[in-house]
Amino acid sequence: RHFGLEDSSRPSSKMKLTVALACLPVAAAFVAPAPAGASVKVQETKADLEALAVKLNPVVGFYDPLGLADADFWGRGNEYTIGWLRHAEIKH
């Protein structure tokens, strides 16, 4: 008699269970991740940035030497550009 085999051609149920359990972590890698929670869409204007800057740092206040608060990236509007820049700032 061979180890783990009932006869020379059929694996035992214990061996099948062992192989199935060994494959579980691999199978989990192919499962789609759960959807992220609802994202908050933040749209701020230049006036919102100016008010926030004074509130957060009254000494410096609003400081935008590159004029990015007035920019319009990709023709999608000023609020989109501010949101994109804020997202990039938080992400990086």
Side-chain angles (χ1 to χ4, degrees):
R1 188 165 194 202
H2 298 286
F3 293 105
L5 298 176
E6 293 173 6
D7 64 33
S8 62
S9 63
R10 290 186 24 183
S12 69
S13 60
K14 186 175 182 181
M15 180 183 266
K16 289 178 188 178
L17 178 64
T18 303
V19 170
L21 290 176
C23 292
L24 282 178
V26 175
F30 296 103
V31 175
S39 63
V40 177
K41 188 167 186 162
V42 178
Q43 293 205 342
E44 295 181 345
T45 63
K46 183 177 179 180
D48 295 332
L49 292 178
E50 290 169 347
L52 185 62
V54 171
K55 180 181 172 185
L56 294 176
N57 190 345
V59 175
V60 175
F62 183 72
Y63 180 70
D64 183 23
L66 298 177
L68 292 176
D70 296 317
D72 182 7
F73 291 179
W74 306 288
R76 298 196 65 184
N78 183 258
E79 289 181 356
Y80 177 86
T81 300
I82 290 172
W84 187 86
L85 291 170
R86 297 279 316 261
H87 172 77
E89 179 183 21
I90 291 167
K91 183 178 178 181
H92 299 289

